[in-house]
Amino acid sequence: MSALVERHVQAYGEEPRVFKAPGRVNLIGEHTDYNDGFVLPTPIDRYLWVTISPREDETVRLQAMDFDERTEHRLSSIRYDKKHLWANYVLGVAHSLIARGYTLGGFDMSIHGDVPLGAGLSSSAALETAVVRALNDTFSLGIDPVEMAYIGKQCENEFVGVQSGIMDQFVSGLGEYGKALFVDCRTNEHSLHDLDPEYSVIILNTMVSREVANSEYNLRKSQCDEATNIIQKEHPDIKALRDVDEEMLLGSWAELPDLIARRARHVVTENRRVLDALEMLSEGDMNGFGDLMYDSHDSLRHDYEVSCMELDVLVDSTLYLKGVLGARMTGAGFGGCTVNLVEKGYVDEFIETVSKRYYNRTEKRLEAYLA
Ligand code: GLA
């Protein structure tokens, strides 16, 4: 990151410290985190880097190398500004820290990343994680990694206005490359699980940007809350869809409007799929794991309705290809990427064939990344 350090020194005249955090791809467990459920993501080998040097006053100066964005703020009057891109995430993290009673000073910061933007690979969570690490260290705040994840989430929820769950910040901060991170999003219990090195996790980017994602995302969350409220009439002890199993859902089915019932069915079955996938991972049953990925996609496509034509074409293009175990959309949906589990020896052939099929059907060129 010498170019970033150089830019920092040029702009601010101080030698900075460097912090980074990775993007992520979710293997299975989609739209479950904000229902207190289970997720199984893994970090990718792409990062957001920030450089930081502290200041004597309460000024915050930011420069984002990738967009030529330069802004200046005062800690006592931080506010969201939709004109800004990266700056909002830095300010949002500072805002959350101050709201939690941490004392910050001013700082100069430079930002650069190679996580593809708007692709559902959590560039914003990576930035939040890198920033919270930088501020934690610079101002000796002593924050543990789980709280760091919640500070990033608070920035998204309260400052940026997306009602996202904890998955992205959790895996950016606590994940390990080459391992799947299982998270119980209610208790924060988490564990790392080796991914079988015989298989590659391939990410395919539809190159469709997720414009409606935020409003649809918040809508899905409120539909899940509606389902919970209705099911609670029959089962007063449940607090979230995490507490509902398939039998309970069937019991309340007639009470639920059709759309809400299907949203709930996705979440309930997806939570079960994550637990099954974890067991298959530990037993080395990667074919079984792959089948669950396809099931997850079907559920996201038909019940949760967060897929899109391009994601479906990409997943369908993998069917019956040699060496492919599973494929599904990953992240919030409405564009972005698919995640694919492919035998090592077939990766090049896989990317070539799927790229051609995708282009023939959509006239779009995909991008492929190795997780
Ligand atoms: C986005 C959110 C996550 C999660 C996924 C869907 O990435 O930031 O919290 O809800 O969508 O699984």
Side-chain angles (χ1 to χ4, degrees):
M1 271 308 98
S2 51
L4 184 65
V5 170
E6 225 168 84
R7 282 281 287 270
H8 190 104
V9 174
Q10 263 168 23
Y12 304 129
E14 293 286 338
E15 201 55 50
R17 300 199 56 206
V18 185
F19 295 85
K20 70 170 184 177
R24 65 96 188 96
V25 63
N26 190 17
L27 299 174
I28 197 157
E30 218 64 84
H31 290 277
T32 46
D33 59 355
Y34 53 83
N35 288 296
D36 277 5
F38 310 115
V39 293
L40 196 65
T42 184
I44 58 175
D45 193 18
R46 288 171 174 259
Y47 301 86
L48 257 294
W49 288 267
V50 300
T51 54
I52 184 167
S53 49
R55 302 172 52 90
E56 297 294 317
D57 56 14
E58 63 139 22
T59 301
V60 173
R61 291 190 296 179
L62 305 172
Q63 60 169 355
M65 257 175 85
D66 310 290
F67 318 113
D68 243 351
E69 176 175 274
R70 270 173 167 245
T71 56
E72 192 168 322
H73 320 266
R74 295 182 73 72
L75 274 180
S76 53
S77 56
I78 289 175
R79 56 181 179 80
Y80 179 84
D81 184 338
K82 75 170 188 299
K83 281 198 311 293
H84 299 152
L85 295 162
W86 282 148
N88 282 322
Y89 295 95
V90 182
L91 298 176
V93 167
H95 191 260
S96 305
L97 286 167
I98 294 166
R100 285 169 183 248
Y102 292 106
T103 307
L104 302 180
F107 57 92
D108 293 328
M109 183 174 274
S110 313
I111 305 162
H112 166 60
D114 66 2
V115 181
L117 301 182
L121 299 174
S122 291
S123 51
S124 60
L127 178 57
E128 288 151 9
T129 307
V131 170
V132 77
R133 283 177 173 164
L135 297 178
N136 181 50
D137 192 90
T138 305
F139 299 109
S140 307
L141 305 178
I143 307 172
D144 71 66
V146 172
E147 190 187 352
M148 283 195 199
Y150 278 88
I151 289 162
K153 177 177 183 293
Q154 190 177 347
C155 161
E156 290 285 344
N157 297 166
E158 293 173 14
F159 202 74
V160 182
V162 183
Q163 297 312 312
S164 52
I166 192 61
M167 168 169 73
D168 306 343
Q169 293 81 4
F170 214 109
V171 64
S172 183
L174 288 104
E176 266 180 42
Y177 187 66
K179 297 187 180 191
L181 177 72
F182 171 76
V183 187
D184 177 334
C185 300
R186 169 173 283 166
T187 63
N188 296 327
E189 274 170 58
H190 54 282
S191 49
L192 288 163
H193 302 266
D194 286 330
L195 289 171
D196 188 335
E198 293 295 304
Y199 303 96
S200 298
V201 175
I202 308 289
I203 300 164
L204 299 178
N205 188 347
T206 58
M207 307 303 283
V208 176
S209 78
R210 306 171 311 123
E211 268 152 37
V212 295
N214 286 358
S215 57
E216 288 291 332
Y217 187 97
N218 291 349
L219 180 62
R220 292 299 177 283
K221 187 172 185 306
S222 66
Q223 291 167 337
C224 290
D225 294 342
E226 188 178 339
T228 306
N229 289 338
I230 297 172
I231 301 169
Q232 262 168 352
K233 291 191 186 130
E234 189 77 18
H235 301 279
D237 293 347
I238 67 155
K239 295 194 169 55
L241 286 180
R242 142 73 174 273
D243 303 310
V244 177
D245 62 22
E246 280 151 269
E247 205 178 309
M248 288 159 77
L249 181 60
L250 269 181
S252 299
W253 196 264
E255 308 304 317
L256 295 159
D258 174 63
L259 184 80
I260 303 299
R262 286 190 292 116
R263 301 294 189 250
R265 179 166 62 188
H266 165 70
V267 176
V268 170
T269 56
E270 185 78 350
N271 274 326
R272 178 189 31 80
R273 280 188 287 273
V274 179
L275 298 178
D276 290 349
L278 193 63
E279 206 172 302
M280 287 173 180
L281 196 59
S282 71
E283 288 167 356
D285 178 4
M286 297 312 281
N287 280 307
F289 191 104
D291 288 344
L292 291 172
M293 293 171 75
Y294 281 120
D295 292 347
S296 167
H297 186 77
D298 279 345
S299 177
L300 289 157
R301 178 178 184 170
H302 299 296
D303 273 352
Y304 218 60
E305 295 179 284
V306 290
S307 188
C308 63
M309 182 273 283
E310 290 82 354
L311 286 166
D312 295 339
V313 167
L314 265 189
V315 170
D316 290 348
S317 299
T318 69
L319 292 170
Y320 310 114
L321 275 186
K322 256 204 199 129
V324 185
L325 280 71
R328 55 182 288 277
M329 54 151 279
T330 186
F334 301 101
C337 296
T338 63
V339 57
N340 304 265
L341 192 62
V342 183
E343 256 177 71
K344 277 259 150 74
Y346 290 97
V347 168
D348 292 344
E349 195 179 319
F350 167 80
I351 296 176
E352 203 186 309
T353 310
V354 177
S355 303
K356 274 195 200 135
R357 288 182 175 175
Y358 185 61
Y359 183 75
N360 289 342
R361 293 275 305 276
T362 64
E363 295 193 351
K364 294 191 171 84
R365 303 221 179 265
L366 59 74
E367 278 185 6
Y369 325 108
L370 204 63

